Amino acid sequence: GCGGLWIAAMASRLANAARAAVSRRVPSAGGYATLAAAAGAAAGTTLAFSDDALHFVNQPWSHSGPFEAFDTASIRRGYQVFSEVCASCHGLKLIAYRNLVGTICTEAKAKELAAEKEYTDGPDDQGEMFERPGKLSDYIKSPYPNSEAAKAANNGAEPPDLSLITKGRHGGADYIFALLTGYREPPPGVTVGEGQHYNPYFPGGKLAMPPPLICSGQVEYEDGTEASLSQMAKDCSTFLAWCAEPEQDVRKQMGIKCVAALLFAMAGAGYYKRFRWSPIKNRKLFFH
């Protein structure tokens, strides 16, 4: 009857769902080609999730816990990696040179770094704009004057600003680390176009950015740390996580202080409730 037809229909749906799940979990060579073609057709759009992107591994970051702080030595090394490798294409428009003081360098060094750049200011007494050396209040400039210039220099792909990249990508620093260390040859069935590179951690698998970290020793760390590929990727990821939240350590300290104060207040309230107000609330009044 109707009950039997309904059970048969549900069984058929469950079987189809199981076959679809298996096909997504273990795609064939033809499946890889189909996924790659779909990714190419979706180029230029924002993808929130993609079945053909590997999931990143969660790394044991020193700043991930509520009672843990940023590794300042790693932040300094990461800034060096950014300056020598990433800054040729990416900017940090939300980070001012004053933010570097105390964490990455001294105030004198930050002023020196800012003075190396020219900034447009004005108008002057004649109503004209003029160029001046940078100062601590200036923000780190993009290497390109505008979006169109960035696209023209990178085969039509605009390098994103990295100020909030760990907030704007699912996984944050884990995703950045996986992306920096994940470049490899494309698998069979995947065609990578001219000017593109294969990275399974990037949605769609193909991106215009070439591998920024090529070999060990690409950056010579000032503190003598061995600059392996994983070390440079880790330091750069830590630095970009700090750029997204330079105030994170201070915020955690304030949170711990507030929680401690609330615990003391709770203990005081419990004491007064138990030993001060309890006799008054429990007393009996007799009227004659």
Side-chain angles (χ1 to χ4, degrees):
C2 295
L5 292 176
W6 182 84
I7 294 175
M10 291 301 298
S12 177
R13 290 183 181 179
L14 289 174
N16 292 334
R19 285 194 294 269
V22 171
S23 65
R24 283 197 300 269
R25 192 176 298 113
V26 187
S28 61
Y32 275 118
T34 303
L35 292 173
T45 62
T46 301
L47 301 180
F49 180 77
S50 178
D51 284 337
D52 59 340
L54 289 181
H55 193 274
F56 47 82
V57 177
N58 294 324
Q59 304 294 338
W61 301 104
S62 62
H63 56 273
S64 58
F67 301 102
E68 296 175 326
F70 277 114
D71 182 354
T72 54
S74 182
I75 294 176
R76 296 188 190 100
R77 293 192 298 267
Y79 175 74
Q80 187 176 348
V81 174
F82 172 83
S83 300
E84 299 183 16
V85 179
C86 310
S88 59
C89 296
H90 299 276
L92 291 172
K93 64 181 181 180
L94 298 181
I95 298 296
Y97 287 99
R98 65 172 178 267
N99 297 127
L100 308 181
V101 177
T103 301
I104 295 176
C105 59
T106 62
E107 181 177 348
K109 181 63 176 178
K111 289 181 178 180
E112 180 182 342
L113 293 173
E116 294 176 356
K117 304 294 183 179
E118 292 290 328
Y119 288 83
T120 302
D121 204 345
D124 57 14
D125 295 339
Q126 305 299 323
E128 301 292 338
M129 305 299 289
F130 60 92
E131 297 292 322
R132 60 162 177 79
K135 50 188 179 181
L136 289 179
S137 59
D138 291 319
Y139 290 84
I140 298 178
K141 298 175 64 175
S142 169
Y144 305 104
N146 52 61
S147 176
E148 296 304 322
K151 293 179 181 179
N154 293 277
N155 296 322
E158 181 182 2
D161 184 85
L162 300 183
S163 303
L164 299 175
I165 193 68
T166 59
K167 293 296 184 183
R169 298 293 185 272
H170 174 65
D174 292 323
Y175 168 77
I176 300 299
F177 180 85
L179 187 71
L180 292 176
T181 58
Y183 285 89
R184 60 197 65 182
E185 293 297 323
V190 175
T191 303
V192 178
E194 183 180 358
Q196 291 185 323
H197 306 271
Y198 180 75
N199 193 316
Y201 295 100
F202 186 79
K206 297 181 288 186
L207 69 166
M209 182 178 72
L213 302 178
I214 302 173
C215 60
S216 298
Q218 184 175 348
V219 174
E220 185 176 352
Y221 283 136
E222 297 176 356
D223 61 0
T225 302
E226 182 181 357
S228 62
L229 284 175
S230 59
Q231 182 68 52
M232 291 186 290
K234 179 254 185 184
D235 293 334
C236 187
S237 302
T238 302
F239 169 71
L240 294 178
W242 174 84
C243 288
E245 287 186 292
E247 77 291 343
Q248 175 179 286
D249 291 348
V250 176
R251 178 166 49 81
K252 287 183 178 180
Q253 290 176 353
M254 292 298 297
I256 293 173
K257 293 177 182 178
C258 291
V259 171
L262 289 175
L263 290 177
F264 278 109
M266 185 182 300
Y271 171 80
Y272 274 95
K273 175 68 171 67
R274 177 67 179 82
F275 297 104
R276 295 291 184 178
W277 291 101
S278 181
I280 299 176
K281 293 179 66 175
N282 295 331
R283 65 181 177 176
K284 294 182 179 181
L285 302 177
F286 295 92
F287 298 93
H288 297 284

